[in-house]
Amino acid sequence: MKDNLTYEEVPVEILDCQVRRLRNKEVASVKILWRSQFVDGANWEAKAAMIGKYPHFIFSSIST
């Protein structure tokens, strides 16, 4: 917890992955379970953005 009483969410687990087709390109998304949230609070995030923000997190286990 930081001095201003906020905290950074940290990914815990990848629950699912999908590739969505948008006009001319495909976008890989991962469903992320965040620390201090329940499974129903998990949300879809762009895989490329997650790799950029959390390079230490293991995304190699997903095929998309």
Side-chain angles (χ1 to χ4, degrees), residues 20-63:
R20 294 192 300 189
R21 180 108 172 117
L22 304 174
R23 294 190 187 205
N24 298 335
K25 63 180 180 177
E26 293 181 343
V27 178
S29 299
V30 289
K31 191 170 189 178
I32 301 290
L33 175 63
W34 299 95
R35 180 182 63 191
S36 75
Q37 290 188 354
F38 297 108
V39 173
D40 59 345
N43 57 345
W44 290 97
E45 302 284 345
K47 181 180 176 185
M50 291 298 294
I51 291 172
K53 190 167 182 177
Y54 302 100
H56 59 279
F57 198 71
I58 301 171
F59 290 95
S60 60
S61 61
I62 344 172
S63 60

Side-chain angles (χ1 to χ4, degrees), residues 6-30:
T6 61
Y7 63 96
E8 181 180 347
E9 284 290 353
V10 178
V12 176
E13 183 181 354
I14 299 170
L15 301 175
D16 197 4
C17 58
Q18 69 180 8
V19 177
R20 294 192 300 189
R21 180 108 172 117
L22 304 174
R23 294 190 187 205
N24 298 335
K25 63 180 180 177
E26 293 181 343
V27 178
S29 299
V30 289

